[in-house]
Coordinates of all heavy atoms in Angstrom, one line a residue:
T219 N -10.1 -7.4 -14.6 CA -9.7 -8.7 -15.1 C -8.2 -8.9 -14.8 O -7.4 -8.0 -14.9 CB -9.9 -8.7 -16.7 OG1 -11.2 -8.3 -16.9 CG2 -9.6 -10.0 -17.3
R220 N -7.9 -10.1 -14.4 CA -6.5 -10.4 -14.1 C -5.8 -11.2 -15.1 O -6.5 -12.1 -15.8 CB -6.7 -11.3 -12.8 CG -5.5 -11.3 -12.0 CD -5.8 -12.2 -10.8 NE -4.5 -12.8 -10.2 CZ -3.7 -12.1 -9.4 NH1 -4.1 -10.9 -9.1 NH2 -2.6 -12.6 -9.1
I221 N -4.6 -10.9 -15.5 CA -3.9 -11.6 -16.6 C -2.7 -12.2 -15.8 O -1.8 -11.5 -15.4 CB -3.5 -10.7 -17.6 CG1 -4.7 -10.1 -18.3 CG2 -2.7 -11.5 -18.7 CD1 -4.4 -8.9 -19.1
N222 N -2.6 -13.6 -15.8 CA -1.5 -14.3 -15.1 C -0.3 -14.3 -16.1 O -0.4 -14.9 -17.1 CB -1.9 -15.6 -14.7 CG -0.9 -16.4 -13.9 OD1 0.3 -16.1 -14.2 ND2 -1.4 -17.2 -13.1
I223 N 0.8 -13.7 -15.7 CA 1.9 -13.6 -16.6 C 3.2 -14.2 -16.0 O 4.3 -13.9 -16.3 CB 2.3 -12.1 -16.9 CG1 2.4 -11.3 -15.6 CG2 1.3 -11.5 -17.9 CD1 3.0 -9.9 -15.8
S224 N 2.9 -15.1 -15.0 CA 4.1 -15.8 -14.3 C 5.0 -16.5 -15.2 O 6.2 -16.5 -15.0 CB 3.6 -16.7 -13.2 OG 2.7 -17.6 -13.7
E225 N 4.5 -17.1 -16.3 CA 5.4 -17.8 -17.2 C 6.0 -16.9 -18.3 O 7.0 -17.2 -18.8 CB 4.6 -18.9 -17.9 CG 4.1 -20.0 -16.9 CD 3.6 -21.2 -17.6 OE1 3.9 -21.5 -18.8 OE2 2.9 -22.0 -16.9
L226 N 5.4 -15.7 -18.5 CA 6.0 -14.8 -19.4 C 7.1 -14.0 -18.9 O 7.9 -13.4 -19.6 CB 4.8 -13.8 -19.9 CG 5.1 -13.0 -21.1 CD1 5.3 -13.9 -22.4 CD2 3.9 -12.1 -21.4
K227 N 7.2 -14.0 -17.5 CA 8.3 -13.2 -16.8 C 9.7 -13.6 -17.3 O 10.6 -12.8 -17.2 CB 8.2 -13.4 -15.4 CG 7.1 -12.5 -14.7 CD 7.3 -12.4 -13.2 CE 7.4 -13.8 -12.5 NZ 7.3 -13.7 -11.1
S228 N 9.9 -14.8 -17.7 CA 11.2 -15.3 -18.1 C 11.7 -14.6 -19.3 O 12.9 -14.5 -19.6 CB 11.2 -16.8 -18.4 OG 10.3 -17.1 -19.4
E229 N 10.8 -13.9 -20.1 CA 11.2 -13.1 -21.3 C 11.8 -11.8 -20.9 O 12.2 -11.0 -21.8 CB 10.0 -12.9 -22.2 CG 9.4 -14.2 -22.7 CD 10.4 -14.9 -23.7 OE1 11.1 -14.3 -24.4 OE2 10.3 -16.2 -23.7
G230 N 11.6 -11.4 -19.6 CA 12.2 -10.1 -19.2 C 11.2 -9.0 -18.8 O 10.0 -9.1 -19.2
S231 N 11.6 -8.1 -17.9 CA 10.7 -7.1 -17.3 C 10.3 -6.1 -18.3 O 9.2 -5.5 -18.3 CB 11.2 -6.6 -16.1 OG 12.5 -5.9 -16.4
D232 N 11.2 -5.8 -19.3 CA 10.9 -4.8 -20.3 C 9.7 -5.2 -21.1 O 8.8 -4.4 -21.4 CB 12.1 -4.6 -21.3 CG 13.2 -4.0 -20.5 OD1 13.0 -3.4 -19.4 OD2 14.4 -3.9 -21.1
L233 N 9.6 -6.4 -21.4 CA 8.4 -7.0 -22.2 C 7.2 -6.8 -21.4 O 6.1 -6.4 -21.9 CB 8.7 -8.4 -22.5 CG 7.7 -9.1 -23.4 CD1 8.1 -8.8 -24.8 CD2 7.6 -10.6 -23.3
I234 N 7.2 -7.1 -20.1 CA 6.0 -6.9 -19.2 C 5.6 -5.5 -19.2 O 4.4 -5.2 -19.3 CB 6.3 -7.5 -17.8 CG1 6.8 -8.9 -17.8 CG2 5.1 -7.4 -16.9 CD1 5.9 -10.0 -18.4
K235 N 6.5 -4.6 -19.1 CA 6.2 -3.1 -19.0 C 5.5 -2.7 -20.3 O 4.6 -2.0 -20.3 CB 7.5 -2.3 -18.8 CG 7.9 -2.2 -17.4 CD 9.0 -1.2 -17.3 CE 9.8 -1.4 -16.0 NZ 11.2 -1.5 -16.1
E236 N 6.1 -3.2 -21.4 CA 5.5 -2.8 -22.7 C 4.1 -3.4 -22.9 O 3.2 -2.7 -23.4 CB 6.5 -3.4 -23.8 CG 6.2 -2.8 -25.1 CD 7.3 -3.3 -26.2 OE1 8.4 -3.7 -25.8 OE2 6.9 -3.4 -27.4
L237 N 3.9 -4.6 -22.4 CA 2.5 -5.2 -22.5 C 1.6 -4.4 -21.6 O 0.5 -4.1 -22.1 CB 2.6 -6.6 -22.0 CG 1.2 -7.4 -21.8 CD1 0.5 -7.4 -23.1 CD2 1.5 -8.8 -21.3
A238 N 1.9 -4.0 -20.4 CA 1.1 -3.2 -19.6 C 0.8 -1.8 -20.3 O -0.4 -1.4 -20.2 CB 1.8 -2.9 -18.3
E239 N 1.8 -1.2 -20.9 CA 1.6 0.1 -21.6 C 0.6 -0.1 -22.7 O -0.3 0.8 -22.9 CB 2.9 0.7 -22.2 CG 3.7 1.3 -21.0 CD 5.1 1.5 -21.5 OE1 5.5 1.5 -22.6 OE2 6.0 1.8 -20.6
I240 N 0.8 -1.1 -23.5 CA -0.1 -1.4 -24.7 C -1.6 -1.6 -24.2 O -2.5 -1.1 -24.8 CB 0.4 -2.6 -25.5 CG1 1.6 -2.1 -26.3 CG2 -0.7 -3.1 -26.5 CD1 2.3 -3.2 -27.0
L241 N -1.7 -2.4 -23.1 CA -3.1 -2.7 -22.6 C -3.8 -1.4 -22.1 O -4.9 -1.2 -22.4 CB -3.0 -3.7 -21.5 CG -2.7 -5.2 -21.9 CD1 -2.5 -6.0 -20.6 CD2 -3.8 -5.7 -22.7
E242 N -2.9 -0.6 -21.5 CA -3.5 0.7 -20.9 C -3.9 1.6 -22.1 O -5.0 2.2 -22.1 CB -2.4 1.4 -20.2 CG -2.9 2.5 -19.2 CD -1.9 2.9 -18.2 OE1 -0.8 2.3 -18.1 OE2 -2.3 3.8 -17.4
E243 N -3.0 1.7 -23.1 CA -3.3 2.5 -24.3 C -4.6 2.1 -25.1 O -5.4 2.8 -25.4 CB -2.1 2.5 -25.2 CG -2.2 3.3 -26.5 CD -1.0 3.0 -27.4 OE1 0.2 3.0 -26.9 OE2 -1.2 2.8 -28.6
K244 N -4.7 0.8 -25.2 CA -5.8 0.2 -26.1 C -7.1 0.1 -25.3 O -8.2 0.3 -25.9 CB -5.5 -1.3 -26.5 CG -4.2 -1.3 -27.4 CD -4.5 -1.0 -28.8 CE -3.3 -1.3 -29.7 NZ -3.4 -0.6 -31.0
T245 N -7.1 -0.1 -24.0 CA -8.3 -0.2 -23.3 C -8.8 1.0 -22.6 O -9.9 1.2 -22.2 CB -8.2 -1.3 -22.2 OG1 -7.2 -0.9 -21.2 CG2 -7.9 -2.6 -22.7
K246 N -7.8 2.0 -22.5 CA -8.1 3.3 -21.8 C -8.6 3.0 -20.3 O -9.4 3.8 -19.8 CB -9.1 4.1 -22.5 CG -8.7 4.3 -24.0 CD -8.9 5.7 -24.5 CE -8.5 5.9 -25.9 NZ -7.4 5.2 -26.5
A247 N -8.0 1.9 -19.7 CA -8.4 1.6 -18.4 C -7.2 1.7 -17.5 O -6.1 1.8 -18.0 CB -9.0 0.1 -18.4
E248 N -7.4 1.5 -16.2 CA -6.3 1.5 -15.2 C -5.6 0.1 -15.3 O -6.4 -0.9 -15.1 CB -6.9 1.8 -13.8 CG -5.8 2.1 -12.9 CD -6.4 2.3 -11.5 OE1 -7.5 2.9 -11.3 OE2 -5.7 2.0 -10.5
V249 N -4.3 0.1 -15.5 CA -3.6 -1.1 -15.5 C -2.6 -1.1 -14.4 O -1.8 -0.2 -14.2 CB -2.9 -1.3 -16.9 CG1 -2.0 -2.5 -16.9 CG2 -3.9 -1.3 -18.0
E250 N -2.6 -2.2 -13.6 CA -1.7 -2.4 -12.5 C -0.9 -3.7 -12.6 O -1.4 -4.6 -13.1 CB -2.6 -2.5 -11.2 CG -1.9 -2.4 -9.9 CD -2.9 -2.6 -8.7 OE1 -3.9 -1.9 -8.7 OE2 -2.6 -3.5 -7.9
T251 N 0.4 -3.5 -12.4 CA 1.3 -4.7 -12.5 C 1.8 -5.2 -11.2 O 2.3 -4.4 -10.4 CB 2.5 -4.3 -13.5 OG1 2.0 -3.6 -14.6 CG2 3.3 -5.5 -13.9
T252 N 1.6 -6.5 -11.0 CA 2.1 -7.1 -9.7 C 3.2 -8.1 -10.1 O 3.5 -8.1 -11.3 CB 0.9 -7.8 -9.0 OG1 0.5 -8.8 -9.8 CG2 -0.2 -6.9 -8.5
T253 N 3.7 -8.8 -9.1 CA 4.8 -9.7 -9.4 C 4.5 -10.7 -10.6 O 5.3 -10.8 -11.5 CB 5.1 -10.6 -8.2 OG1 4.7 -9.8 -7.0 CG2 6.6 -10.9 -8.1
D254 N 3.3 -11.3 -10.5 CA 3.1 -12.3 -11.6 C 1.7 -12.1 -12.2 O 1.1 -13.1 -12.7 CB 3.4 -13.7 -11.2 CG 2.7 -14.0 -9.9 OD1 2.0 -13.2 -9.4 OD2 2.9 -15.2 -9.3
A255 N 1.2 -10.9 -12.3 CA -0.1 -10.6 -12.8 C -0.1 -9.2 -13.3 O 0.5 -8.3 -12.8 CB -1.2 -10.9 -11.9
I256 N -1.0 -9.0 -14.3 CA -1.4 -7.6 -14.7 C -2.8 -7.6 -14.4 O -3.6 -8.4 -14.9 CB -1.0 -7.4 -16.2 CG1 0.4 -7.4 -16.5 CG2 -1.7 -6.1 -16.7 CD1 0.9 -7.2 -18.0
I257 N -3.3 -6.5 -13.8 CA -4.7 -6.3 -13.4 C -5.2 -5.1 -14.2 O -4.7 -4.0 -14.1 CB -4.9 -6.2 -11.9 CG1 -4.4 -7.4 -11.2 CG2 -6.3 -6.0 -11.6 CD1 -4.0 -7.2 -9.8
V258 N -6.3 -5.3 -15.0 CA -6.9 -4.3 -15.8 C -8.2 -3.9 -15.1 O -9.1 -4.8 -15.0 CB -7.1 -4.7 -17.2 CG1 -7.8 -3.6 -18.0 CG2 -5.8 -5.3 -17.9
K259 N -8.3 -2.7 -14.7 CA -9.5 -2.3 -13.9 C -10.2 -1.3 -14.8 O -9.7 -0.3 -15.3 CB -9.2 -1.5 -12.6 CG -8.4 -2.4 -11.6 CD -8.0 -1.6 -10.4 CE -7.3 -2.5 -9.4 NZ -6.6 -1.7 -8.5
G260 N -11.5 -1.6 -15.0 CA -12.4 -0.7 -15.9 C -13.6 -1.5 -16.3 O -13.8 -2.7 -16.0
E261 N -14.5 -0.9 -17.0 CA -15.7 -1.4 -17.5 C -15.9 -1.2 -19.0 O -15.3 -0.3 -19.5 CB -16.9 -0.9 -16.7 CG -16.9 -1.3 -15.2 CD -18.1 -0.7 -14.4 OE1 -19.0 -0.1 -15.0 OE2 -18.0 -0.8 -13.2
G262 N -16.8 -1.9 -19.5 CA -17.2 -1.7 -21.0 C -16.5 -2.8 -21.8 O -15.8 -3.6 -21.4
K263 N -16.8 -2.6 -23.2 CA -16.3 -3.5 -24.1 C -14.7 -3.7 -24.2 O -14.2 -4.7 -24.4 CB -16.7 -3.2 -25.5 CG -18.1 -3.6 -25.9 CD -18.5 -3.3 -27.3 CE -19.9 -3.6 -27.5 NZ -20.4 -3.0 -28.8
N264 N -14.1 -2.5 -24.0 CA -12.6 -2.5 -24.0 C -11.9 -3.4 -23.1 O -10.8 -3.9 -23.4 CB -12.0 -1.1 -23.8 CG -12.3 -0.2 -25.1 OD1 -12.7 -0.7 -26.1 ND2 -12.1 1.1 -25.0
V265 N -12.4 -3.6 -21.9 CA -11.9 -4.5 -20.9 C -12.5 -5.8 -20.7 O -12.3 -6.5 -19.7 CB -11.7 -3.7 -19.5 CG1 -10.7 -2.6 -19.6 CG2 -13.1 -3.3 -19.1
S266 N -13.3 -6.2 -21.8 CA -13.9 -7.5 -21.7 C -12.9 -8.6 -21.8 O -11.8 -8.3 -22.4 CB -15.0 -7.7 -22.8 OG -14.3 -7.7 -24.1
K267 N -13.1 -9.7 -21.3 CA -12.2 -10.8 -21.4 C -11.8 -11.2 -22.8 O -10.7 -11.3 -23.1 CB -12.8 -12.1 -20.7 CG -11.8 -13.1 -20.2 CD -12.5 -14.1 -19.3 CE -11.7 -15.3 -19.1 NZ -12.3 -16.3 -18.3
K268 N -12.8 -11.1 -23.7 CA -12.6 -11.4 -25.1 C -11.7 -10.4 -25.8 O -10.8 -10.8 -26.5 CB -14.0 -11.4 -25.8 CG -14.0 -12.0 -27.2 CD -15.4 -12.0 -27.7 CE -15.5 -12.7 -29.1 NZ -16.9 -12.7 -29.6
N269 N -11.9 -9.2 -25.5 CA -11.0 -8.1 -26.1 C -9.6 -8.2 -25.6 O -8.7 -8.1 -26.3 CB -11.6 -6.8 -25.8 CG -10.9 -5.7 -26.6 OD1 -10.6 -5.8 -27.8 ND2 -10.5 -4.6 -25.9
L270 N -9.5 -8.5 -24.2 CA -8.1 -8.5 -23.7 C -7.4 -9.8 -24.3 O -6.2 -9.7 -24.5 CB -8.2 -8.7 -22.2 CG -8.6 -7.4 -21.4 CD1 -8.8 -7.7 -20.0 CD2 -7.6 -6.3 -21.6
R271 N -8.1 -10.9 -24.5 CA -7.5 -12.1 -25.1 C -6.9 -11.8 -26.5 O -5.8 -12.1 -26.9 CB -8.6 -13.2 -25.2 CG -8.0 -14.5 -25.8 CD -9.1 -15.4 -26.2 NE -9.8 -15.9 -25.0 CZ -9.6 -17.0 -24.3 NH1 -8.7 -17.8 -24.8 NH2 -10.3 -17.3 -23.3
V272 N -7.7 -11.0 -27.3 CA -7.3 -10.6 -28.6 C -6.0 -9.7 -28.5 O -5.1 -9.9 -29.3 CB -8.4 -9.9 -29.4 CG1 -7.9 -9.3 -30.6 CG2 -9.5 -10.8 -29.7
L273 N -6.1 -8.8 -27.6 CA -4.9 -7.9 -27.4 C -3.7 -8.7 -27.0 O -2.5 -8.4 -27.6 CB -5.2 -6.8 -26.4 CG -6.3 -5.7 -26.8 CD1 -6.6 -4.8 -25.6 CD2 -5.8 -4.9 -28.0
L274 N -3.8 -9.6 -26.1 CA -2.7 -10.5 -25.7 C -2.2 -11.3 -26.9 O -0.9 -11.4 -27.1 CB -3.1 -11.4 -24.6 CG -3.2 -10.7 -23.2 CD1 -3.9 -11.7 -22.3 CD2 -1.9 -10.3 -22.7
R275 N -3.0 -11.8 -27.7 CA -2.6 -12.6 -28.8 C -1.8 -11.8 -29.8 O -0.8 -12.2 -30.4 CB -3.8 -13.2 -29.5 CG -4.3 -14.5 -28.8 CD -5.4 -15.1 -29.6 NE -5.8 -16.3 -28.9 CZ -7.1 -16.8 -29.2 NH1 -7.9 -16.2 -29.9 NH2 -7.4 -17.9 -28.6
K276 N -2.3 -10.6 -30.1 CA -1.7 -9.6 -31.0 C -0.3 -9.2 -30.5 O 0.6 -9.1 -31.3 CB -2.5 -8.4 -31.2 CG -3.8 -8.6 -32.1 CD -4.5 -7.3 -32.4 CE -5.6 -7.5 -33.3 NZ -6.4 -6.2 -33.5
F277 N -0.2 -9.0 -29.2 CA 1.1 -8.6 -28.6 C 2.1 -9.8 -28.7 O 3.2 -9.6 -29.2 CB 0.8 -8.3 -27.1 CG 2.1 -8.0 -26.4 CD1 2.7 -6.7 -26.5 CD2 2.8 -9.0 -25.6 CE1 3.9 -6.5 -25.8 CE2 3.9 -8.7 -24.9 CZ 4.5 -7.4 -25.0
L278 N 1.6 -11.0 -28.4 CA 2.5 -12.2 -28.6 C 3.0 -12.4 -30.0 O 4.1 -12.7 -30.3 CB 1.9 -13.5 -28.1 CG 1.6 -13.6 -26.6 CD1 0.8 -14.8 -26.3 CD2 2.9 -13.7 -25.9
H279 N 2.1 -12.1 -30.9 CA 2.4 -12.2 -32.4 C 3.4 -11.2 -32.8 O 4.3 -11.5 -33.5 CB 1.1 -12.1 -33.2 CG 1.3 -12.4 -34.7 ND1 1.6 -13.7 -35.2 CD2 1.4 -11.6 -35.8 CE1 1.7 -13.5 -36.5 NE2 1.6 -12.3 -36.8
K280 N 3.1 -9.9 -32.4 CA 4.1 -8.8 -32.7 C 5.5 -9.1 -32.2 O 6.4 -8.8 -32.9 CB 3.4 -7.5 -32.1 CG 4.1 -6.3 -32.7 CD 3.4 -5.1 -32.3 CE 4.0 -4.4 -31.2 NZ 3.3 -3.2 -30.7
K281 N 5.6 -9.7 -31.0 CA 6.8 -9.9 -30.4 C 7.5 -11.2 -30.8 O 8.5 -11.7 -30.2 CB 6.7 -9.9 -28.8 CG 6.4 -8.5 -28.3 CD 7.5 -7.6 -28.5 CE 7.1 -6.1 -28.3 NZ 8.1 -5.2 -28.8
E282 N 6.8 -11.9 -31.7 CA 7.2 -13.2 -32.3 C 7.4 -14.3 -31.1 O 8.2 -15.1 -31.2 CB 8.6 -13.0 -33.0 CG 8.3 -12.2 -34.3 CD 9.6 -11.9 -35.1 OE1 10.7 -12.4 -34.6 OE2 9.5 -11.3 -36.1
L283 N 6.4 -14.2 -30.2 CA 6.4 -15.2 -29.1 C 5.2 -16.1 -29.3 O 4.9 -17.0 -28.4 CB 6.3 -14.5 -27.8 CG 7.5 -13.6 -27.4 CD1 7.1 -12.8 -26.2 CD2 8.7 -14.4 -27.1
K284 N 4.4 -16.0 -30.3 CA 3.2 -16.7 -30.6 C 3.5 -18.3 -30.6 O 2.7 -19.1 -30.3 CB 2.6 -16.3 -31.9 CG 1.1 -16.8 -32.0 CD 0.2 -15.7 -32.1 CE -1.2 -16.0 -32.4 NZ -1.8 -16.8 -31.3
D285 N 4.8 -18.6 -31.1 CA 5.1 -20.1 -31.2 C 5.4 -20.6 -29.8 O 5.4 -21.8 -29.6 CB 6.3 -20.2 -32.1 CG 5.9 -19.9 -33.5 OD1 4.8 -19.8 -33.9 OD2 6.9 -19.5 -34.3
N286 N 5.8 -19.8 -28.8 CA 6.2 -20.3 -27.5 C 5.1 -20.2 -26.5 O 5.1 -20.9 -25.4 CB 7.4 -19.4 -27.0 CG 8.5 -19.5 -28.0 OD1 8.6 -20.3 -28.8 ND2 9.4 -18.5 -27.9
Y287 N 4.1 -19.3 -26.6 CA 3.1 -18.9 -25.6 C 1.7 -19.0 -26.2 O 1.5 -18.7 -27.4 CB 3.3 -17.7 -24.9 CG 4.6 -17.6 -24.1 CD1 5.8 -17.1 -24.8 CD2 4.7 -18.0 -22.8 CE1 7.0 -17.0 -24.1 CE2 5.9 -18.0 -22.2 CZ 7.0 -17.5 -22.7 OH 8.2 -17.4 -22.0
R288 N 0.8 -19.3 -25.3 CA -0.6 -19.2 -25.8 C -1.5 -18.6 -24.6 O -1.1 -18.6 -23.5 CB -1.2 -20.6 -26.2 CG -1.2 -21.5 -25.0 CD -1.4 -23.0 -25.6 NE -1.9 -23.8 -24.5 CZ -3.2 -24.3 -24.5 NH1 -4.0 -24.2 -25.5 NH2 -3.6 -25.1 -23.5
V289 N -2.6 -18.0 -25.0 CA -3.5 -17.3 -24.0 C -4.7 -18.3 -23.8 O -5.4 -18.7 -24.6 CB -4.0 -16.0 -24.6 CG1 -4.9 -15.3 -23.6 CG2 -2.9 -15.0 -25.0
I290 N -4.9 -18.5 -22.5 CA -6.0 -19.5 -22.1 C -6.8 -18.7 -21.0 O -6.3 -18.0 -20.2 CB -5.6 -20.8 -21.7 CG1 -4.6 -20.8 -20.5 CG2 -5.0 -21.6 -22.8 CD1 -4.3 -22.2 -19.9
G291 N -8.1 -19.1 -21.0 CA -8.9 -18.5 -19.9 C -8.8 -19.3 -18.7 O -8.7 -20.5 -18.7
G292 N -8.8 -18.6 -17.6 CA -8.7 -19.2 -16.3 C -10.1 -19.1 -15.6 O -11.1 -19.2 -16.2
K293 N -10.0 -19.0 -14.2 CA -11.3 -18.9 -13.5 C -11.9 -17.6 -13.9 O -11.4 -16.8 -14.8 CB -10.9 -18.8 -12.0 CG -10.5 -20.1 -11.4 CD -10.3 -20.1 -10.0 CE -9.1 -20.8 -9.5 NZ -8.0 -20.0 -9.0
E294 N -13.0 -17.2 -13.3 CA -13.8 -16.0 -13.6 C -12.8 -14.8 -13.7 O -12.1 -14.5 -12.8 CB -14.8 -15.8 -12.5 CG -15.8 -14.8 -12.9 CD -16.9 -14.6 -11.8 OE1 -17.2 -15.6 -11.1 OE2 -17.4 -13.5 -11.6
N295 N -13.0 -14.1 -14.8 CA -12.2 -12.8 -15.1 C -10.7 -13.0 -15.0 O -10.0 -12.1 -14.5 CB -12.6 -11.7 -14.1 CG -13.9 -11.1 -14.5 OD1 -14.3 -11.2 -15.6 ND2 -14.6 -10.5 -13.6
T296 N -10.2 -14.2 -15.4 CA -8.7 -14.4 -15.4 C -8.3 -15.0 -16.7 O -8.9 -15.8 -17.3 CB -8.4 -15.4 -14.3 OG1 -8.9 -15.0 -13.0 CG2 -6.9 -15.6 -14.1
L297 N -7.3 -14.4 -17.2 CA -6.6 -15.0 -18.5 C -5.2 -15.4 -18.1 O -4.6 -14.8 -17.2 CB -6.6 -13.9 -19.6 CG -7.9 -13.6 -20.2 CD1 -7.7 -12.3 -21.0 CD2 -8.3 -14.7 -21.1
M298 N -4.7 -16.4 -18.7 CA -3.3 -16.8 -18.5 C -2.5 -16.9 -19.7 O -3.0 -17.4 -20.7 CB -3.3 -18.2 -17.8 CG -4.1 -18.2 -16.5 SD -4.5 -19.9 -15.9 CE -3.0 -20.5 -15.4
V299 N -1.2 -16.5 -19.6 CA -0.3 -16.7 -20.7 C 0.5 -17.8 -20.4 O 1.3 -17.8 -19.4 CB 0.6 -15.4 -20.9 CG1 1.5 -15.6 -22.1 CG2 -0.3 -14.2 -21.1
K300 N 0.3 -19.0 -21.0 CA 1.0 -20.2 -20.7 C 2.0 -20.5 -21.8 O 1.8 -20.2 -23.0 CB 0.0 -21.3 -20.7 CG -1.1 -21.2 -19.6 CD -0.5 -21.6 -18.2 CE -0.4 -23.1 -18.0 NZ 0.0 -23.4 -16.6
E301 N 3.1 -21.2 -21.3 CA 4.2 -21.6 -22.2 C 3.6 -22.8 -23.0 O 3.0 -23.7 -22.3 CB 5.4 -21.9 -21.5 CG 6.6 -21.9 -22.4 CD 7.9 -21.9 -21.6 OE1 7.9 -21.6 -20.4 OE2 9.0 -22.1 -22.2
K302 N 3.8 -22.9 -24.3 CA 3.3 -24.1 -25.0 C 4.2 -25.2 -24.8 O 5.4 -25.1 -24.7 CB 3.4 -23.8 -26.5 CG 2.2 -22.9 -27.0 CD 2.2 -22.8 -28.5 CE 1.0 -22.0 -29.0 NZ 1.1 -21.8 -30.5
K303 N 3.6 -26.4 -24.7 CA 4.4 -27.5 -24.5 C 5.0 -28.0 -25.8 O 4.1 -28.1 -26.8 CB 3.6 -28.7 -23.9 CG 3.2 -28.5 -22.4 CD 2.4 -29.6 -21.9 CE 2.2 -29.4 -20.4 NZ 1.2 -28.3 -20.1
T304 N 6.3 -28.2 -25.9 CA 6.8 -28.6 -27.2 C 7.0 -30.2 -27.2 O 7.4 -30.7 -26.2 CB 8.1 -28.0 -27.5 OG1 9.0 -28.1 -26.3 CG2 7.9 -26.5 -27.8
A305 N 6.8 -30.8 -28.3 CA 6.9 -32.2 -28.5 C 8.4 -32.5 -28.3 O 9.2 -32.0 -29.0 CB 6.3 -32.6 -29.8
E306 N 8.7 -33.4 -27.4 CA 10.1 -33.8 -27.3 C 10.4 -35.0 -28.1 O 9.6 -35.9 -28.2 CB 10.4 -34.1 -25.8 CG 10.1 -32.9 -25.0 CD 10.8 -32.9 -23.6 OE1 11.6 -33.8 -23.3 OE2 10.6 -32.0 -22.9
E307 N 11.6 -35.0 -28.7 CA 11.9 -36.1 -29.6 C 12.8 -37.1 -29.0 O 13.6 -36.8 -28.2 CB 12.5 -35.5 -30.9 CG 11.5 -34.8 -31.7 CD 12.1 -33.9 -32.7 OE1 13.3 -34.1 -33.2 OE2 11.5 -32.9 -33.1

């Protein structure tokens, strides 16, 4: 499963490393980080798209980024962390 993090990169590389470590720990799967994606390789319930979405949401909440970003499903086996559009006044 591929997680597009191109918009989350603006928060810093330490955050991305931490996210990759958490995903690896929780899913017990192989996690690979590329320039603008995290790729989780493995099988079973732990690496299902649904479970990864929950883990991403929990991570954003823990880092207090839930107000700025949301997790949306992309094409097959892809999740995206997108910046929320804020209403301009």
